[in-house]
Amino acid sequence: VGRPRCGASLQDQNKAIKIELNANANCVWQIQRDTNQTIRLTFSNFKFAPSSSCETESIKIYDGPSTNSPLLGQVCNDTDAVPVLESSSESLTFLITTNSMDFTRNFFAFYYYFSPETRLENCGGTLTGSNGTFTSPNYPLRYPEFTYCVWHIQTEKNSKINLQFQDFFLELDRNCQFDFTAVYDGLATNTSLIGKVCGRSQPKFESSSNVMTVVLFTDYANSYKGFSAQYTSVPLPGPVEPDTFLTCSSESMTVVLSKSYLASLGYNESHLQLSDPSCSPVVTDSLVFSFPLAGCGTTKKEEGQSITYTNVISLAPTGGIITRQKTVQVIAKCKMENNATLEVIYVTKNNIIQNTTATGRYNVSMSFYSSDLFSSPVRQSPYYVDLNQTLFAQVTLHSNDPNLLVFVDTCTASPQPDFGSLTYDLIRSGCNKDDTVISYPTHERYGRFKFSAFRFLRNFTSVYLQCDIIICDSKNTNSRCTQGCMSRQKRAIPSYTWKTNTIVGPIRLKRNLRSADYSGSLTKADAEESPNLQQYSFYTLSFVVLISNIIIVVAVILTYHKRQAGYGYQKIHNS
């Protein structure tokens, strides 16, 4: 076993490397050989400084002759696996860095060159079905050197796997550095290590779901008979999918957890651990959490064109010194994105994530106001106005999150509520397109502007208004809400957080009031004016009828006198 202290250039066909490093190390090992084979490298034992992070201490493996080659993988204090890496060519490099803590780090690495096309019989594969058996290559004879086999076991859903090694004999070593079997909870080999074993024993393992992976790795010496293993599937008790519900609104997220689901995980409401312990749930047959978007430990993150609110409910054992029970986290996320709210809730249990989704949206409204004080909304519909009258419009976001901004991006008018082919731009991409439009400065959850009333030609009586609204995180000083009018070139770069639209109308001119349709509800002023209009119409009609009757009588009299003048009476004589 070679013991280079800090880096080396290695050209051996295979080699075991024992490494000891102390503080502030920055050491590079390069493996390179003139051959058409590739390299398989494992770090079967590693011990970093206590509480070190991947940023301060790690092993970085590069697929090539230098640290400028593509990164193949990284090993650090929280690596939950026995890493085995393979190069794509005849060279490979790894770099070990340590922090300033005075502590002796120990690493054991082993590499060998191999031909990828070489395959061993009875070495790895996929096993399905409710039960089965498998053995190491050549069992019960000695297993080959330089062996790397991976078995993926997958049983039916809603089950877990019990694995029993009925016969097991690998090279014995205190740290299982030379020959070992590693068992993983899942289909991956880079996380969720259940255990690593060697020597002579009959180990047992259990998965948390219906998938498990078994790895056999051997070096170049001291081979033994290997192992014979049997697996069986066991049904999981209780609900296996999260019996949870999540709803999101502009004000809060509501999470519902059933007691039966908690019981299936081995927990009850006394095991709850919240980001903010003062925000306790309402307990009935279920546990109902209502988290304000701006409280109870809810966090907010801006992600390009969306805002995500997150809260976490943890379930963990209480009391005692040790536990063998798994910690569970229920992570609820409300993602405000593209005219909708994507609600995501998932449960993590030993890195197993289960998801459920739903939909919702921000609560946004738009109204006209009687003045620039924006204190008295106009509630009549239709809204009767004078031509060129100044109209005050306000868009309101109904949310208890104080760190949001509302920006009026585009407002289009149309004589039709479906906004067909005939439209007129008041505002487009934050730019005023009508000479009478004046936009007010952005004010928290309100977007405000004013314009002069107009009408469409061709006898259209109504005007409808549709506005595109952009909502941004007020902490982002470079958000779309703070950029105002944008040119066409700038608009090609999406910079908004959340976008929706809202419609208000109709607006009608007062001269059309007499011909308006009164089948709907009227305002008080309209109701008072309506009888006067009806009385006026009655008097007018009566006057017209009277004049018509007088004209008819005069015409009859004149006709009668005319007939008398044209025809005289003549006495008829008797014969």
Side-chain angles (χ1 to χ4, degrees):
V1 177
R3 298 191 182 186
R5 285 191 56 82
C6 185
S9 179
L10 307 173
Q11 298 179 353
D12 303 83
Q13 178 70 25
N14 60 82
K15 192 174 187 66
I17 312 165
K18 185 176 181 180
I19 303 169
E20 292 183 2
L21 295 175
N22 211 303
N24 301 316
N26 188 46
C27 308
V28 176
W29 282 262
Q30 182 194 57
I31 306 171
Q32 190 165 9
R33 184 182 176 90
D34 187 12
T35 178
N36 291 326
Q37 294 181 312
T38 56
I39 305 166
R40 182 174 287 137
L41 169 70
T42 182
F43 289 90
S44 55
N45 188 46
F46 48 89
K47 187 176 182 180
F48 293 92
S51 303
S52 64
S53 66
C54 292
E55 288 73 26
T56 60
E57 288 203 355
S58 68
I59 307 172
K60 292 184 177 180
I61 302 95
Y62 299 90
D63 189 12
S66 72
T67 55
N68 294 324
S69 303
L71 183 66
L72 193 60
Q74 183 176 7
V75 184
C76 47
N77 204 27
D78 61 358
T79 299
D80 188 20
V82 185
V84 178
L85 304 106
E86 296 181 3
S87 69
S88 60
S89 65
E90 71 281 355
S91 60
L92 187 147
T93 303
F94 64 91
L95 164 68
I96 303 181
T97 56
T98 64
N99 61 25
S100 58
M101 179 181 290
D102 186 14
F103 180 83
T104 301
R105 288 83 166 166
N106 292 287
F107 309 97
F108 188 88
F110 177 73
Y111 78 88
Y112 61 88
Y113 280 87
F114 73 104
S115 299
E117 63 274 8
T118 302
R119 291 286 183 268
L120 284 174
E121 292 185 6
N122 197 32
C123 178
T126 300
L127 306 173
T128 59
S130 58
N131 57 77
T133 60
F134 60 100
T135 64
S136 57
N138 295 343
Y139 177 85
L141 303 177
R142 295 177 182 270
Y143 48 78
E145 59 183 13
F146 306 122
T147 296
Y148 180 63
C149 305
V150 180
W151 291 268
H152 297 292
I153 306 172
Q154 186 163 4
T155 60
E156 61 272 14
K157 292 183 178 180
N158 303 339
S159 66
K160 61 182 179 179
I161 300 171
N162 285 337
L163 177 65
Q164 169 73 62
F165 286 93
Q166 299 166 317
D167 190 11
F168 189 92
F169 192 5
L170 270 63
E171 181 178 2
L172 178 61
D173 173 69
R174 184 178 62 180
N175 295 317
C176 295
Q177 298 178 134
F178 307 120
D179 300 345
F180 61 85
T181 294
V183 181
Y184 295 89
D185 192 7
L187 292 177
T189 59
N190 57 359
T191 187
S192 301
L193 178 69
I194 302 176
K196 180 179 71 169
V197 291
C198 61
R200 189 161 194 173
S201 61
Q202 290 183 320
K204 297 180 181 180
F205 299 95
E206 181 179 278
S207 68
S208 63
S209 67
N210 65 320
V211 288
M212 176 185 279
T213 299
V214 180
V215 172
L216 172 64
F217 185 95
T218 69
D219 64 4
Y220 59 92
N222 301 327
S223 293
Y224 298 90
K225 65 188 302 185
F227 63 77
S228 172
Q230 180 180 16
Y231 73 89
T232 57
S233 64
V234 179
L236 283 171
V240 293
E241 296 296 328
D243 191 3
T244 57
F245 301 94
L246 169 66
T247 55
C248 298
S249 70
S250 290
E251 290 78 27
S252 64
M253 62 172 68
T254 301
V255 182
V256 180
L257 300 177
S258 70
K259 287 184 177 180
S260 60
Y261 177 62
L262 296 184
S264 72
L265 300 175
Y267 292 104
N268 57 46
E269 57 266 30
S270 67
H271 296 106
L272 291 172
Q273 296 179 4
L274 307 178
S275 301
D276 184 348
S278 64
C279 299
S280 57
V282 176
V283 181
T284 55
D285 292 338
S286 300
L287 279 69
V288 182
F289 301 84
S290 184
F291 299 129
L293 298 187
C296 285
T298 303
T299 61
K300 180 174 70 174
K301 183 180 181 182
E302 185 175 4
E303 300 172 323
Q305 299 180 15
S306 65
I307 292 178
T308 300
Y309 298 90
T310 304
N311 210 311
V312 179
I313 303 169
S314 298
L315 297 166
T318 57
I321 299 175
I322 67 168
T323 182
R324 290 185 172 85
Q325 197 170 0
K326 298 168 183 174
T327 299
V328 176
Q329 282 188 327
V330 179
I331 303 174
K333 290 190 175 185
C334 292
K335 189 172 185 180
M336 308 297 192
E337 184 179 50
N338 295 337
N339 199 28
T341 301
L342 175 63
E343 300 166 355
V344 179
I345 183 169
Y346 55 86
V347 177
T348 63
K349 180 182 176 185
N350 266 26
N351 298 313
I352 297 172
I353 299 177
Q354 301 165 306
N355 299 304
T356 180
T357 61
T359 58
R361 60 176 298 135
Y362 270 126
N363 185 6
V364 179
S365 63
M366 182 165 66
S367 301
F368 288 107
Y369 283 75
S370 57
S371 72
D372 59 1
L373 296 178
F374 294 97
S375 58
S376 300
V378 176
R379 303 194 183 281
Q380 74 180 73
S381 180
Y383 178 24
Y384 287 97
V385 300
D386 290 318
L387 198 63
N388 289 319
Q389 176 182 334
T390 301
L391 307 183
F392 302 92
Q394 173 176 286
V395 176
T396 304
L397 167 65
H398 305 278
S399 174
N400 60 15
D401 186 346
N403 297 315
L404 294 176
L405 288 179
V406 173
F407 178 71
V408 180
D409 180 73
T410 298
C411 274
T412 303
S414 175
Q416 301 166 335
D418 60 355
F419 288 79
S421 58
L422 184 58
T423 60
Y424 175 72
D425 283 349
L426 293 174
I427 303 172
R428 172 67 60 180
S429 297
C431 304
N432 297 338
K433 296 299 183 180
D434 182 90
D435 293 338
T436 67
V437 172
I438 297 178
S439 298
Y440 291 83
T442 301
H443 179 68
E444 294 180 350
R445 295 188 295 277
Y446 304 106
R448 295 166 174 169
F449 64 97
K450 65 180 180 179
F451 64 99
S452 297
F454 62 91
R455 71 177 182 88
F456 284 91
L457 301 177
R458 298 191 307 189
N459 296 323
F460 289 109
T461 61
S462 300
V463 176
Y464 294 85
L465 206 61
Q466 176 176 273
C467 294
D468 289 341
I469 312 304
I470 291 175
I471 301 169
C472 309
D473 187 347
S474 62
K475 295 181 179 180
N476 182 358
T477 57
N478 294 319
S479 69
R480 176 66 186 95
C481 296
T482 63
Q483 295 172 0
C485 175
M486 296 187 68
S487 65
R488 181 177 299 274
Q489 181 178 3
K490 291 182 179 179
R491 288 201 306 271
I493 304 173
S495 57
Y496 61 84
T497 291
W498 187 90
K499 192 171 184 179
T500 186
N501 62 62
T502 185
I503 299 175
V504 68
I507 310 167
R508 292 180 183 171
L509 297 180
K510 286 182 178 178
R511 66 187 183 86
N512 293 324
L513 182 61
R514 299 189 184 103
S515 59
D517 182 6
Y518 280 81
S519 60
S521 61
L522 293 174
T523 65
K524 182 178 180 180
D526 294 333
E528 291 174 352
E529 187 176 358
S530 180
N532 296 332
L533 290 173
Q534 293 176 359
Q535 186 176 13
Y536 174 80
S537 299
F538 174 75
Y539 288 148
T540 301
L541 178 61
S542 298
F543 178 76
V544 171
V545 171
L546 178 61
I547 295 300
S548 299
N549 288 335
I550 292 172
I551 293 173
I552 292 172
V553 170
V554 171
V556 171
I557 293 172
L558 290 175
T559 302
Y560 175 75
H561 284 291
K562 184 177 180 181
R563 287 177 178 175
Q564 282 188 331
Y567 298 94
Y569 289 96
Q570 184 178 8
K571 187 176 180 180
I572 302 177
H573 299 282
N574 293 326
S575 56

